[in-house]
Amino acid sequence: MATSSFHNKLNDLEAKLKAENESRRRDRNPRNWELPVKPKPMGLPLPLDGSFSGFSTVSATRPTFAGVQMRAGSAPASSRQRHLNIPMSPQPKPPDGAEIEKKYEEIMKQTGILTLNGQKYRSAIKDLDPLGELGHGTCGHVVKMLHKQSRHLVAVKQMRRSGNREENKRIIMDLDVVLKCHDCPYIVQCVGAFITSSDVWICMELMSTCFDKLIRKLKGPMPERILGKLAVATLKALNYLKEVHGVIHRDIKPSNILLDECGRIKLCDFGISGRLVDSKAKTRSAGCAAYMAPERIDPPNPTKPDYDIRADVWSLGISLVELATGEFPYKNCKTDFEVLTRVLQEDPPSLPAGRGFSLHFCSFVTDCLTKDFHKRPKYRKLLEHGFILHYEMIYVDVASWYLGVRQMIEFTSGGATSAAGVS
């Protein structure tokens, strides 16, 4: 009976992931997109009950560049509970209409203002010239654009607005966070936004590529020194989100870690990021099955399925194993159900012996992939790990490594890489 219940839960979670993938496929279809219309006037009033027509079904936060996958809008928490058929703990009280209205008005004051190279520009959508698509996302796409006045290049994440009341509340809260992340060098920066009657456009700094695309082009492992810098940047970004904004990312994977030509590594895409209440996340947004922590798949206490930032620590560990070996640790799985089952039933992945990995690196990955989340370290402890301290201190020329990778890919493919980087 217990086995049947366990399989039912995994089947329900797999069905949710399939539904999100289908939503992702529909939203990637360009025929579903409309031309932007004139932005609404500033200071648009918002009903106190929160029943505004709202924003896109995805958090207006980070862009996706050159293959970065954006999250699909999920159903409201109550729908997720019914779909997963898993008892839920009481949800934290949502912000009331007055708080949502205040945040909306604050965001609207910034609409149409782009901050580029330290200078503010009052702009309209017509001031941006499209130069080509950088990638598809779950609710739209990301376009490379030129801001005509400043001649500055930006990546614009274009999302359709939704009429779902609960989703709109979440979008407002997420957008409020991303606009405040300007003081973290490890998070892709938002330079402004446009809100129209049909779309939300989020303008971001232009990055070159993501690590998911790099590993697929390389068809092999990445050097430990590069992954050391990736671990430092990602861990510091996650710690910043938790300590400063009380936010958990919930979708850590190589496609959400970006790189630019200067060698800077930054975290992006907060489409399913969640608020922490008493340091716990209360909702069960699916995320990506491949990188999902065991406690999120099968909570030890189904009546109280809370989890914390250590779920993202697991996802970081899986990402590092994949990038360090050139292979996803749960390979040869044909369905999400197979992945979820292996995560729960097998020993956690580790870095293979005899591949030249340092003891510090192996130890760090082992800590991240501690299956019992009670024993898995949190950000603060990991920031004191010898692996992180080492790569925080030493210089690694990530930019030169990336340039060499681009040249190698260009040579082997017989053609130039795209303007967005490794495509």
Side-chain angles (χ1 to χ4, degrees):
M1 192 63 145
T3 301
S4 176
S5 175
F6 170 77
H7 285 167
N8 286 340
K9 285 193 288 187
L10 291 188
N11 279 324
D12 285 340
L13 189 51
E14 182 190 29
K16 178 173 177 58
L17 292 166
K18 286 182 178 178
E20 290 185 346
N21 288 334
E22 175 60 23
S23 172
R24 195 174 299 130
R25 184 193 64 77
R26 289 195 305 268
D27 287 328
R28 279 197 294 258
N29 189 344
R31 290 178 296 180
N32 293 332
W33 284 87
E34 301 175 2
L35 292 174
V37 298
K38 183 178 179 181
K40 289 189 174 184
M42 303 295 286
L44 186 68
L46 177 70
L48 289 178
D49 66 357
S51 57
F52 50 96
S53 61
F55 292 81
S56 154
T57 55
V58 161
S59 167
T61 51
R62 296 297 156 203
T64 57
F65 311 103
V68 177
Q69 180 176 318
M70 294 183 286
R71 294 296 317 153
S74 57
S78 59
S79 298
R80 290 196 295 268
Q81 290 171 230
R82 290 194 297 271
H83 184 81
L84 290 170
N85 195 29
I86 297 174
M88 297 293 291
S89 58
Q91 296 297 307
K93 181 180 178 182
D96 58 27
E99 181 182 352
I100 291 294
E101 180 179 13
K102 181 180 178 181
K103 291 186 179 298
Y104 181 83
E105 290 175 349
E106 290 174 356
I107 291 169
M108 285 304 297
K109 290 177 183 177
Q110 302 177 62
T111 299
I113 300 176
L114 301 185
T115 303
L116 304 167
N117 290 331
Q119 184 174 346
K120 294 186 181 297
Y121 297 88
R122 172 68 67 178
S123 304
I125 284 178
K126 63 180 177 61
D127 297 325
L128 295 172
D129 277 343
L131 300 178
E133 193 166 282
L134 295 175
H136 292 291
T138 54
C139 69
H141 51 193
V142 181
V143 180
K144 181 179 180 181
M145 290 189 165
L146 174 69
H147 182 246
K148 290 184 282 190
Q149 185 178 355
S150 66
R151 309 305 295 174
H152 195 88
L153 294 173
V154 294
V156 181
K157 181 178 180 179
Q158 301 177 345
M159 301 172 293
R160 291 179 297 173
R161 292 175 63 173
S162 163
N164 184 296
R165 174 181 171 182
E166 294 303 318
E167 283 297 321
N168 288 328
K169 287 182 180 180
R170 184 171 65 85
I171 301 307
I172 284 285
M173 298 298 288
D174 288 342
L175 184 53
D176 178 61
V177 170
V178 71
L179 290 172
K180 294 178 179 177
C181 288
H182 55 82
D183 56 343
C184 181
Y186 305 106
I187 291 177
V188 177
Q189 297 296 291
C190 174
V191 299
F194 295 97
I195 303 172
T196 78
S197 61
S198 60
D199 299 295
V200 174
W201 285 23
I202 308 300
C203 301
M204 314 297 296
E205 64 175 314
L206 185 65
M207 302 291 284
S208 297
T209 191
C210 68
F211 278 85
D212 176 65
K213 181 146 285 190
L214 276 176
I215 198 69
R216 286 190 282 113
K217 289 291 186 180
L218 277 172
K219 295 182 173 64
M222 292 186 180
E224 178 178 325
R225 69 184 190 279
I226 302 300
L227 300 182
K229 287 300 185 181
L230 178 149
V232 170
T234 305
L235 200 54
K236 287 194 171 185
L238 291 172
N239 188 60
Y240 164 87
L241 288 169
K242 193 267 183 183
E243 295 297 330
V244 178
H245 298 296
V247 165
I248 180 173
H249 190 280
R250 296 198 295 203
D251 201 19
I252 299 300
K253 54 188 178 182
S255 60
N256 284 339
I257 305 172
L258 308 186
L259 176 66
D260 70 7
E261 292 182 350
C262 296
R264 291 173 294 201
I265 300 171
K266 301 191 180 190
L267 184 63
C268 79
D269 202 342
F270 297 78
I272 63 166
S273 59
R275 297 283 179 173
L276 293 167
V277 179
D278 297 327
S279 297
K280 301 287 184 180
K282 305 289 184 178
T283 57
R284 287 288 302 279
S285 294
C288 182
Y291 304 89
M292 195 177 293
E295 66 271 18
R296 291 191 61 196
I297 300 171
D298 188 31
N301 182 1
T303 64
K304 192 178 180 183
D306 301 344
Y307 55 91
D308 60 24
I309 56 175
R310 286 171 289 194
D312 279 352
V313 170
W314 173 277
S315 302
L316 174 60
I318 295 293
S319 300
L320 288 172
V321 171
E322 179 180 8
L323 297 173
T325 62
E327 295 181 329
F328 181 66
Y330 299 106
K331 59 183 179 180
N332 301 324
C333 290
K334 297 179 180 179
T335 65
D336 285 333
F337 182 89
E338 290 183 58
V339 176
L340 298 171
T341 301
R342 289 182 62 184
V343 170
L344 294 178
Q345 295 183 347
E346 294 183 2
D347 290 335
S350 60
L351 293 175
R355 297 276 292 270
F357 299 120
S358 69
L359 292 178
H360 273 321
F361 191 18
C362 293
S363 170
F364 182 80
V365 168
T366 298
D367 285 352
C368 289
L369 296 180
T370 302
K371 205 163 186 179
D372 183 351
F373 74 95
H374 294 103
K375 299 177 181 179
R376 194 183 309 146
K378 296 183 178 180
Y379 301 150
R380 285 186 180 180
K381 186 174 181 180
L382 286 174
L383 285 169
E384 297 173 354
H385 194 284
F387 178 69
I388 296 298
L389 294 177
H390 175 70
Y391 282 103
E392 190 176 23
M393 293 293 295
I394 70 166
Y395 172 73
V396 176
D397 193 349
V398 181
S400 293
W401 172 81
Y402 175 53
L403 177 61
V405 168
R406 289 187 61 176
Q407 291 173 341
M408 180 194 70
I409 292 172
E410 180 178 347
F411 176 78
T412 56
S413 63
T417 54
S418 75
V422 178
S423 61

